[in-house]
Each structure stands twice: as C-alpha cells, then as structure tokens.
Amino acid sequence: MSPTLDSPLLYCFWDHSQEREYCQRLQSLKKVLKTRTNVLVLFANGEKNAESILPLFDKVAHEVRGQGTLLFVDCKTKDGKKLCRNLKVSPAMYELKHYKDGVFHKDYDRLLQEKSMVSFMQNPAAEPPWSEDPTSEDVRHIEGPSDFEKLLRKEKKPVLTMFYAPWCGHCKRLKPEFAEAATELKREAVLAGMDVDTPDAYGVRQALNITGFPTLIYFQNGAKIHDYAGGRDKAGIIEWMRNPRPADEMPPPPDAEPAWSETESDVVHLTTDTFDQFIADNPSVLVMFYAPWCGHCKAMKPEYAEAAATLKGDAVSGVLAAIDATAETALGERYGVKGYPSIKYFGGGQLRYDYGYGRTKDDLVEFMMEPKAPPPPEKDWTEIESEIAHLTEEDFKPFLKKKKHALVMFYAPWCGHCKAAKPEYTSAAEQFADDKKVSFAAVDCTLYQSLCTLHQVTGFPTFKYFNFGKKDFRYNGGRTEPDFVEFMSNPTSARDEL
C-alpha cells in the first residue's frame, strides 16, 4: 500500500510534554509524519468501535513517550471519512497501522496487550516476541530479572536458559530447535528463554558475563553449573541435557558453517600467492577484503556472489574476487585495509580506487559494466569541528561513565540516512555546549565494528541513550534538531525506570 497523505483530518493524540489528550485540526497527516518518525495510528469505524482499545492505547502512549506517537482517527467523522478513503482504510471495527519515517510501514501484528504494543513501538521492525509464537508454548519465557530469580529459586528440575536478543540471527535459527527440545524434555527439565537486550536485563548480563548471543547456561537447584556445550539443534540439546557436561569434556563440534572459499560460486578467492598474477592477467577486477566474523560482510556475500554469476552469465568483462584479510594479512596491510568489508577496484594490473557505490547485486553489476571512480569523498566527520564527541573502542566506556546524559549515534560514513541526520544532530549538540552533564557522541561502525556489535547495532543510524554509561536504551524518536533537543532536555522521562 502506498497511501497519499495529503488529506485534512481531526487528529487526536496524547501530548507527552503536557501529559494530556487533545484534538486539533491539522493540514495533513503527511505533515505530522514528517516530524514524528515512529507513529501507530488507530483507525476506527466510529468512536464506539474503538472504546475497547482506547484505554490500552492511552497506557501505551504514556509508556512510549519520547520514543513513539500514537494517533486516533475516527473514520466516521467528516474529515476522518475523507482521510480513511484516501488511505484506502475501511475498518469494520478498527485497524492499527504503523508509519515509519513518513510512509506506511506495516499493519500492527502483535497481541492487543500493553507489553506487546510497547515492545512493538520500541522496535517496529522486529519480529513478534518469542513468547507470542504458539510453537514455543513449552519454553518457559522469562519476563525480566525478578521472574528469572523466581524461576531459579523455585524450580526443582534442571534449567537450561537461552539468553538471546530479538534481532540476533543465530538466536532466530536456534529458537525452533530449542522449542522442540523443550517439548520433548518438559517432564525432565525446563528450557527457558530470556530476552536480555533490554535495560532491565543489564544486571543479569553483567552477573553472568553474557557478551554474545545466544548464550545458553545450565542451572541446577538455583545455581549455575556450566555453560551449554552441546549441538545447536534439537537432537544436540536433548542429548546434552540428558548428560550435561562442560565444554572440555565434549568432543570438538564440527564447523558450523563452511568457509566462503569452500562454497561454490563465481567469486574468485585469492591468496597472497595467487593475487599478483591474477590481477596482472585480468584487466578489470573488483576485490572484496573481508573478515569471516564480520556481520556486514556476511550480509553482502549473497549479493556479491549473485553479481559474480550475473557478470559471468552475461559475458560482462570483469571479475569479482574476494580475500580473507584475516588470513592474508600481508595483502590487507599492503592496501591499507582497516575495516570490513573494504572493496577496491583494480584495472590494468594496478589499484585504481576504492569502490564507493551501493552493495546490492544490481549496484555491483552496473559498476562492473562501466567502472568509474566514485565522487570525491566528503570530509570525514571527525575532522569537522563541532560539539560531537567521536568515540573509539578505547575511550567509549570511560567517556560515557562521566556523563549523566549521553546520546550516541552509531553510523556508517556511506549511509544516506546518517548523512541526513548528521547536521541536525550536530546542531542539537551545539544547544548543549555549556551543559557538562549532557553529551552528543558518535561511533563510526566501519572502524569500530566490535563496539557496534556489542551494542546490538543492526542498522544505520542507530541512536542509544546512556546514563553514566548504563541504563542504555534505543532512541527511536525524530531525527531533526528539535527532536534531539526535546529528548535530551528531559531524557529520563522516556523511561520510567531511569
């Protein structure tokens, strides 16, 4: 659906600064969505049909203040009828639709309960919570630290707990296997799951030294016995739970995934021994320097392989090659590779320039059909004088520990949304130049990937708030100077627990 957002409406909403509800006539929903980037709209066929959900809507609106906006549109009023018709919304009773960055994003797809709706507004792009998956009914879903303590205190059976983050790909792949194992083992043991990608769970992560996802830990009589050391499938979990052993007593597991160079594709994998001759023999080569553990590299590999196949199939002059820079360190050093992936174009036997275009199959194929140097790079953000604190892996924690309120922008220099947000973010920082308790900071994720991985950065830009380096949570508000200023003027109001 691609709605046209140019219709007048009667706009009812909760003003979080005044903490009261009111209605006013606005020129268009489009204008509202330009300033509020995370919006859930309740469309109802008359106010009476919305009576059952409006109290819930009210609670959620207050809970997510500073992170999202909830609107109510009555499709039976004169203005509302016109708006709903233009948006092609015709609720029998009511419908909930989400708008992100000014455009329709998706229909609300969670349970109609406060926790589910709050979770959705905090991360609308995420999948529904694991607890709402009917296939996981035999998994004991832990609802926060106190629930976790209660489970360990009262449960007499052995407990295997999977500590996960909703966005984690490895967690998503393990969940169905874990759930099936929970069903088979439910008379013998408890298999539990806990989302620890929340501010409340920070203490649990710290106490159990959880630094990656998923982390599985075996408990008995309320105490941690050892980390899980079995296979990452139903059979492996069941086998291990019936004979739980520490890792040093387990046979070495098979490699979870083959090396990229061992996977059949049209990408040519080069080494230090083969590189120079290959570049000399091929007049047009695009080389991707990667690290096997790099998330951005993993995301790009399928696109890169498809582009290589397209070039070969269409008989386009040019080859896509790849180098594991963690294994071929001399090549990485020779060409100044500092982050992954680094993509460089070689023509006529020598390095011509760094590739500076998109990373999809179509972008890569288009470039190889007519290679050309990217436009001159913009001045690095760190070189521009401003009130932004540019942090590294070394000074990230020490810096934030000294700041009562800090907002950190995790970004990539090539990201278009990041480029658009930078001047707004910088201007907002200038408004707090004299306030030593408040800081606006930034981290370049192409240089400090491990830092960004630690803080669950899966897209750019990602904004996170920190209180003395702790109690962090994701900021999902607007990306204009007034939005940032409003939030940092009273950030603690965005989370009741702060």
Side-chain angles (χ1 to χ4, degrees):
M1 178 172 103
S2 300
T4 303
L5 304 172
D6 291 318
S7 228
L9 75 155
L10 190 64
Y11 168 53
C12 297
F13 67 105
W14 286 260
D15 183 328
H16 305 309
S17 62
Q18 299 296 323
E19 293 197 355
R20 64 187 179 91
E21 177 188 1
Y22 68 94
C23 298
Q24 68 180 37
R25 188 174 301 279
L26 298 177
Q27 291 181 349
S28 68
L29 182 58
K30 185 175 182 180
K31 185 174 181 179
V32 176
L33 298 180
K34 278 185 177 179
T35 58
R36 297 175 184 263
T37 61
N38 180 23
V39 181
L40 185 64
V41 184
L42 168 61
F43 295 96
N45 185 19
E47 188 173 350
K48 188 172 182 179
N49 280 317
E51 285 179 352
S52 63
I53 194 174
L54 277 173
L56 170 63
F57 224 52
D58 187 13
K59 288 181 181 178
V60 174
H62 285 80
E63 186 71 21
V64 301
R65 61 184 181 270
Q67 300 174 75
T69 302
L70 277 69
L71 316 181
F72 168 60
V73 176
D74 184 349
C75 294
K76 291 195 75 174
T77 64
K78 179 181 177 182
D79 291 328
K81 186 180 295 184
K82 185 177 180 182
L83 171 70
C84 293
R85 185 171 61 248
N86 287 347
L87 296 180
K88 298 180 181 179
V89 179
S90 53
M93 292 183 63
Y94 60 80
E95 293 181 10
L96 287 161
K97 296 185 178 292
H98 184 259
Y99 295 82
K100 184 176 185 294
D101 296 328
V103 297
F104 174 75
H105 175 221
K106 64 190 294 187
D107 290 320
Y108 177 75
D109 57 358
R110 309 286 179 83
L111 297 178
L112 290 175
Q113 59 184 27
E114 183 177 352
K115 179 187 172 185
S116 295
M117 200 172 286
V118 169
S119 175
F120 176 86
M121 289 301 291
Q122 289 173 341
N123 190 0
E127 297 178 3
W130 193 15
S131 59
E132 295 184 11
D133 182 349
T135 66
S136 71
E137 60 183 3
D138 291 318
V139 174
R140 171 66 159 82
H141 296 285
I142 299 171
E143 306 293 342
S146 60
D147 191 30
F148 177 55
E149 292 173 7
K150 179 181 177 182
L151 171 66
L152 295 184
R153 187 172 64 252
K154 293 191 172 184
E155 185 54 59
K156 302 304 180 185
K157 297 176 186 174
V159 177
L160 180 65
T161 303
M162 173 178 165
F163 299 95
Y164 67 92
W167 49 263
C168 160
H170 294 295
C171 305
K172 292 176 184 178
R173 287 191 287 274
L174 181 58
K175 282 177 180 178
E177 302 287 337
F178 194 82
E180 289 183 18
T183 298
E184 186 156 334
L185 291 168
K186 63 182 178 181
R187 296 183 183 278
E188 308 167 42
V190 172
L191 269 62
M194 181 177 182
D195 175 3
V196 287
D197 187 34
T198 66
D200 282 348
Y202 180 84
V204 174
R205 288 172 59 176
Q206 195 171 40
L208 295 174
N209 193 29
I210 297 171
T211 58
F213 305 114
T215 292
L216 286 80
I217 299 177
Y218 179 76
F219 300 87
Q220 200 161 21
N221 297 322
K224 174 181 175 180
I225 305 302
H226 16 250
D227 291 336
Y228 175 76
R232 295 296 174 104
D233 57 14
K234 174 186 173 182
I237 294 169
I238 292 172
E239 179 186 3
W240 191 87
M241 285 297 290
R242 287 175 174 162
N243 183 19
R245 292 163 288 167
D248 57 6
E249 297 180 15
M250 295 288 292
D255 291 338
E257 118 184 22
W260 191 17
S261 58
E262 297 174 2
T263 303
E264 186 176 351
S265 77
D266 292 302
V267 175
V268 179
H269 292 273
L270 302 176
T271 66
T272 302
D273 294 335
T274 61
F275 180 82
D276 290 326
Q277 190 62 51
F278 186 85
I279 294 299
D281 292 343
N282 291 271
S284 180
V285 186
L286 192 64
V287 180
M288 174 179 168
F289 292 83
Y290 71 95
W293 46 260
C294 160
H296 295 297
C297 305
K298 291 178 181 179
M300 187 178 174
K301 284 176 183 178
E303 299 286 339
Y304 203 71
E306 287 183 25
T310 300
L311 292 174
K312 183 177 180 180
D314 294 347
V316 175
S317 176
V319 183
L320 297 193
I323 295 172
D324 179 352
T326 65
E328 309 297 334
T329 55
L331 283 175
E333 291 175 3
R334 189 202 301 185
Y335 293 104
V337 173
K338 295 180 180 179
Y340 307 111
S342 287
I343 308 167
K344 299 176 182 291
Y345 178 71
F346 293 80
Q350 58 183 304
L351 173 65
R352 295 297 182 182
Y353 41 78
D354 286 351
Y355 174 82
Y357 301 97
R359 297 182 176 183
T360 67
K361 179 198 78 170
D362 292 340
D363 293 325
L364 293 162
V365 170
E366 182 181 354
F367 170 81
M368 290 301 287
M369 292 179 71
E370 190 178 350
K372 57 183 178 182
E378 299 177 2
K379 192 173 183 180
D380 191 279
W381 195 13
T382 60
E383 298 175 2
I384 301 173
E385 186 175 349
S386 73
E387 296 297 328
I388 303 298
H390 293 278
L391 304 180
T392 68
E393 290 170 343
E394 289 73 29
D395 61 14
F396 185 86
K397 284 186 178 180
F399 179 86
L400 294 182
K401 282 182 179 179
K402 298 177 182 178
K403 297 296 179 179
K404 184 175 182 180
H405 303 298
L407 188 62
V408 180
M409 175 178 170
F410 296 89
Y411 72 97
W414 47 260
C415 159
H417 293 298
C418 304
K419 292 177 182 178
K422 283 178 183 178
E424 302 290 334
Y425 192 68
T426 301
S427 296
E430 292 173 359
Q431 301 296 318
F432 294 88
D434 297 327
D435 190 340
K436 301 304 180 184
K437 296 180 180 179
V438 177
S439 182
F440 286 69
V443 174
D444 182 346
C445 290
T446 65
L447 297 178
Y448 308 108
Q449 293 180 355
S450 60
L451 186 59
C452 297
T453 299
L454 178 64
H455 290 281
Q456 298 88 49
V457 176
T458 57
F460 304 119
T462 290
F463 296 89
K464 295 193 78 172
Y465 167 80
F466 293 83
N467 172 240
F468 292 119
K470 300 180 180 180
K471 298 183 180 179
D472 57 297
F473 63 86
R474 194 179 296 263
Y475 166 79
N476 289 319
R479 296 176 183 176
T480 66
E481 176 187 346
D483 293 321
F484 292 128
V485 170
E486 180 183 1
F487 173 75
M488 290 301 281
S489 295
N490 190 15
T492 54
S493 67
R495 279 288 172 97
D496 291 340
E497 62 265 25
L498 288 182

